[in-house]
Amino acid sequence: MSTPKAPTVAVLPVTKDETATSPQILQPSGWPMPKGYANGMAAEGRIVVTGGVIGWDAQERLAVGIVAQARQALSNIAAILAEGGARPAHLVRLTWYVVDMDEYLANLKELGRAYREILGSHYPAMALVQVVRLVENDARVEIEATAVVPR
């Protein structure tokens, strides 16, 4: 009986200007390149984690609509990362919770634009989950983030 071989893994730097200690994209050879996310990430350093972040401002006013809420949630995440000494390039994972998958898919272009404006072109491993509702009744999206700051 032969043992199945695991796929060969390519480890690619996140961006050209990041050092070798930055998070690295894990892309198994032969797999199609994902668009807007990574299949996996590898990193060493200090972990910075957010809770579920929604799209409200410092006065707890919730933005209207999924795009505006996602933009504010991503801005909130960037602020939390900065407080922890991290940058968006240190992100290794995002988990998005949405109350309406069709609404999310219908707004992909605008969501992608907001993402790039706030977090740049760094795409960590991501998951997208539709949920029945979020704690705040009018919230359309909630995002959790994990970053690893190199030592």
Side-chain angles (χ1 to χ4, degrees):
M1 183 164 110
S2 65
T3 305
K5 292 183 178 180
T8 305
V9 177
V11 179
L12 307 172
V14 173
T15 61
K16 293 175 187 167
D17 61 333
E18 291 289 323
T19 66
T21 60
S22 296
Q24 296 175 312
I25 296 170
L26 303 177
Q27 177 64 24
S29 65
W31 285 25
M33 290 298 292
K35 295 178 182 167
Y37 67 95
N39 288 307
M41 302 289 291
E44 290 185 28
R46 186 173 50 82
I47 298 174
V48 177
V49 180
T50 73
V53 178
I54 63 172
W56 61 13
D57 62 18
Q59 289 72 44
E60 297 184 345
R61 291 181 302 232
L62 199 57
V64 177
I66 191 167
V67 175
Q69 287 188 20
R71 177 183 299 281
Q72 184 63 54
L74 293 168
S75 292
N76 295 345
I77 287 169
I80 294 166
L81 293 177
E83 189 69 21
R87 299 188 320 268
H90 298 137
L91 285 167
V92 295
R93 182 171 188 76
L94 292 174
T95 303
W96 294 58
Y97 301 95
V98 298
V99 295
D100 186 338
M101 188 67 72
D102 291 331
E103 178 184 29
Y104 175 88
L105 294 172
N107 289 283
L108 272 179
K109 187 175 266 188
E110 294 83 7
L111 288 165
R113 187 176 307 117
Y115 180 98
R116 288 185 302 278
E117 287 172 8
I118 296 160
L119 300 182
S121 59
H122 170 64
Y123 303 104
M126 291 192 217
L128 174 64
V129 181
Q130 181 173 315
V131 296
V132 173
R133 67 163 283 204
L134 299 167
V135 172
E136 295 299 321
N137 282 328
D138 293 328
R140 309 299 299 156
V141 60
E142 184 171 322
I143 307 169
E144 295 177 330
T146 303
V148 179
V149 180
R151 297 173 204 251

Short mmCIF file of all heavy atoms in Angstrom, two decimals, residues 1 12 27-28 33 42 45 50-52 54-55 68 70 82 84 88 90 92 94 107 123-124 126 132 141 150:
data_model
loop_
_atom_site.label_atom_id
_atom_site.label_comp_id
_atom_site.label_asym_id
_atom_site.label_seq_id
_atom_site.Cartn_x
_atom_site.Cartn_y
_atom_site.Cartn_z
N MET A 1 0.84 -1.16 0.00
CA MET A 1 0.00 0.00 0.00
C MET A 1 0.90 1.24 0.00
O MET A 1 1.80 1.37 0.80
CB MET A 1 -0.87 -0.03 1.26
CG MET A 1 -1.84 1.10 1.32
SD MET A 1 -3.11 0.78 2.54
CE MET A 1 -2.66 1.94 3.77
N LEU A 12 5.00 32.03 -1.00
CA LEU A 12 5.25 33.27 -1.72
C LEU A 12 5.21 34.46 -0.78
O LEU A 12 4.37 34.51 0.11
CB LEU A 12 4.17 33.47 -2.80
CG LEU A 12 3.96 32.30 -3.75
CD1 LEU A 12 2.75 32.55 -4.62
CD2 LEU A 12 5.19 32.09 -4.60
N GLN A 27 0.46 28.54 -1.12
CA GLN A 27 -0.27 28.21 -2.34
C GLN A 27 0.19 26.85 -2.85
O GLN A 27 1.25 26.73 -3.45
CB GLN A 27 -0.02 29.29 -3.41
CG GLN A 27 -0.66 29.03 -4.74
CD GLN A 27 -2.18 29.00 -4.68
OE1 GLN A 27 -2.80 29.57 -3.80
NE2 GLN A 27 -2.78 28.30 -5.62
N PRO A 28 -0.59 25.78 -2.56
CA PRO A 28 -0.20 24.46 -3.05
C PRO A 28 -0.04 24.46 -4.57
O PRO A 28 -0.85 25.07 -5.28
CB PRO A 28 -1.35 23.56 -2.62
CG PRO A 28 -1.94 24.26 -1.42
CD PRO A 28 -1.82 25.73 -1.75
N MET A 33 -5.03 29.98 -8.53
CA MET A 33 -4.77 31.13 -7.67
C MET A 33 -6.10 31.73 -7.22
O MET A 33 -6.96 32.02 -8.04
CB MET A 33 -3.96 32.19 -8.41
CG MET A 33 -2.52 31.80 -8.69
SD MET A 33 -1.52 31.50 -7.22
CE MET A 33 -1.42 33.15 -6.56
N ALA A 42 1.43 31.67 6.54
CA ALA A 42 2.40 31.24 7.55
C ALA A 42 3.09 32.49 8.07
O ALA A 42 3.42 33.39 7.30
CB ALA A 42 3.42 30.27 6.96
N GLY A 45 5.74 35.43 15.03
CA GLY A 45 5.78 36.72 15.72
C GLY A 45 4.72 36.85 16.79
O GLY A 45 4.19 35.86 17.29
N THR A 50 -8.50 40.66 16.77
CA THR A 50 -9.65 41.49 17.07
C THR A 50 -10.82 40.59 17.45
O THR A 50 -10.83 39.40 17.14
CB THR A 50 -10.10 42.35 15.86
OG1 THR A 50 -10.72 41.51 14.89
CG2 THR A 50 -8.94 43.11 15.25
N GLY A 51 -11.80 41.19 18.08
CA GLY A 51 -13.08 40.51 18.26
C GLY A 51 -13.87 40.70 16.97
O GLY A 51 -13.33 41.16 15.96
N GLY A 52 -15.12 40.38 17.01
CA GLY A 52 -15.98 40.66 15.87
C GLY A 52 -16.18 42.17 15.77
O GLY A 52 -16.65 42.80 16.71
N ILE A 54 -17.84 45.43 13.87
CA ILE A 54 -18.91 45.83 12.97
C ILE A 54 -18.66 47.24 12.46
O ILE A 54 -17.71 47.90 12.87
CB ILE A 54 -20.30 45.71 13.64
CG1 ILE A 54 -20.44 46.64 14.83
CG2 ILE A 54 -20.58 44.25 14.02
CD1 ILE A 54 -21.85 46.71 15.41
N GLY A 55 -19.55 47.70 11.59
CA GLY A 55 -19.36 48.98 10.92
C GLY A 55 -19.97 50.16 11.63
O GLY A 55 -20.75 50.91 11.04
N ALA A 68 -20.97 50.35 3.15
CA ALA A 68 -20.57 51.37 4.14
C ALA A 68 -20.18 50.71 5.46
O ALA A 68 -19.22 51.12 6.11
CB ALA A 68 -21.69 52.37 4.35
N ALA A 70 -19.04 47.58 5.86
CA ALA A 70 -17.77 46.87 5.67
C ALA A 70 -16.60 47.86 5.66
O ALA A 70 -15.56 47.61 6.28
CB ALA A 70 -17.79 46.07 4.37
N ALA A 82 -3.32 48.99 14.44
CA ALA A 82 -2.34 50.04 14.74
C ALA A 82 -2.13 50.14 16.25
O ALA A 82 -1.00 50.30 16.71
CB ALA A 82 -2.80 51.37 14.16
N GLY A 84 -2.24 47.81 18.30
CA GLY A 84 -1.42 46.67 18.68
C GLY A 84 -0.07 46.61 18.00
O GLY A 84 0.64 45.61 18.07
N PRO A 88 -1.93 46.42 8.20
CA PRO A 88 -2.72 45.49 7.38
C PRO A 88 -1.87 44.40 6.73
O PRO A 88 -2.35 43.27 6.56
CB PRO A 88 -3.37 46.41 6.33
CG PRO A 88 -3.53 47.71 7.07
CD PRO A 88 -2.27 47.82 7.90
N HIS A 90 0.29 42.70 8.02
CA HIS A 90 0.52 41.64 9.00
C HIS A 90 -0.69 40.70 9.14
O HIS A 90 -0.60 39.71 9.86
CB HIS A 90 0.84 42.23 10.38
CG HIS A 90 2.10 43.04 10.38
ND1 HIS A 90 2.20 44.24 11.03
CD2 HIS A 90 3.31 42.82 9.81
CE1 HIS A 90 3.42 44.73 10.87
NE2 HIS A 90 4.10 43.89 10.12
N VAL A 92 -3.14 37.77 8.76
CA VAL A 92 -3.02 36.40 8.28
C VAL A 92 -4.39 35.74 8.11
O VAL A 92 -4.50 34.71 7.45
CB VAL A 92 -2.12 35.53 9.19
CG1 VAL A 92 -0.68 36.03 9.16
CG2 VAL A 92 -2.65 35.44 10.60
N LEU A 94 -8.89 36.73 8.03
CA LEU A 94 -10.11 37.50 8.25
C LEU A 94 -11.28 36.54 8.14
O LEU A 94 -11.31 35.70 7.24
CB LEU A 94 -10.29 38.60 7.19
CG LEU A 94 -9.32 39.76 7.19
CD1 LEU A 94 -9.57 40.66 5.97
CD2 LEU A 94 -9.45 40.57 8.47
N ASN A 107 -22.55 43.09 -4.18
CA ASN A 107 -21.74 44.29 -3.92
C ASN A 107 -20.24 44.00 -3.94
O ASN A 107 -19.45 44.78 -3.40
CB ASN A 107 -22.14 44.90 -2.58
CG ASN A 107 -23.50 45.54 -2.63
OD1 ASN A 107 -23.64 46.63 -3.15
ND2 ASN A 107 -24.51 44.85 -2.12
N TYR A 123 -3.96 40.19 0.74
CA TYR A 123 -5.14 39.34 0.91
C TYR A 123 -4.77 38.12 1.74
O TYR A 123 -4.18 37.17 1.23
CB TYR A 123 -5.69 38.92 -0.44
CG TYR A 123 -6.04 40.11 -1.31
CD1 TYR A 123 -5.23 40.49 -2.36
CD2 TYR A 123 -7.17 40.86 -1.03
CE1 TYR A 123 -5.54 41.59 -3.14
CE2 TYR A 123 -7.49 41.97 -1.80
CZ TYR A 123 -6.68 42.32 -2.85
OH TYR A 123 -6.99 43.41 -3.62
N PRO A 124 -5.13 38.11 3.04
CA PRO A 124 -4.84 36.96 3.89
C PRO A 124 -5.83 35.83 3.64
O PRO A 124 -6.73 35.96 2.81
CB PRO A 124 -5.03 37.55 5.30
CG PRO A 124 -6.09 38.59 5.13
CD PRO A 124 -5.81 39.19 3.76
N MET A 126 -9.06 33.93 4.20
CA MET A 126 -10.36 34.48 4.58
C MET A 126 -11.43 33.41 4.53
O MET A 126 -11.34 32.47 3.76
CB MET A 126 -10.78 35.60 3.64
CG MET A 126 -9.97 36.86 3.75
SD MET A 126 -10.77 38.20 2.84
CE MET A 126 -9.32 39.03 2.18
N VAL A 132 -27.64 33.99 10.67
CA VAL A 132 -29.05 34.39 10.77
C VAL A 132 -29.16 35.87 11.13
O VAL A 132 -29.96 36.59 10.56
CB VAL A 132 -29.79 33.51 11.79
CG1 VAL A 132 -31.20 34.02 12.03
CG2 VAL A 132 -29.81 32.07 11.32
N VAL A 141 -22.72 43.14 8.46
CA VAL A 141 -21.45 42.42 8.36
C VAL A 141 -20.67 42.59 9.66
O VAL A 141 -20.75 43.64 10.31
CB VAL A 141 -20.62 42.92 7.14
CG1 VAL A 141 -20.30 44.40 7.25
CG2 VAL A 141 -19.35 42.10 6.93
N PRO A 150 5.89 40.53 12.94
CA PRO A 150 7.20 39.89 13.01
C PRO A 150 8.00 40.36 14.22
O PRO A 150 7.88 41.52 14.63
CB PRO A 150 7.89 40.32 11.71
CG PRO A 150 6.80 40.76 10.81
CD PRO A 150 5.71 41.28 11.71
#
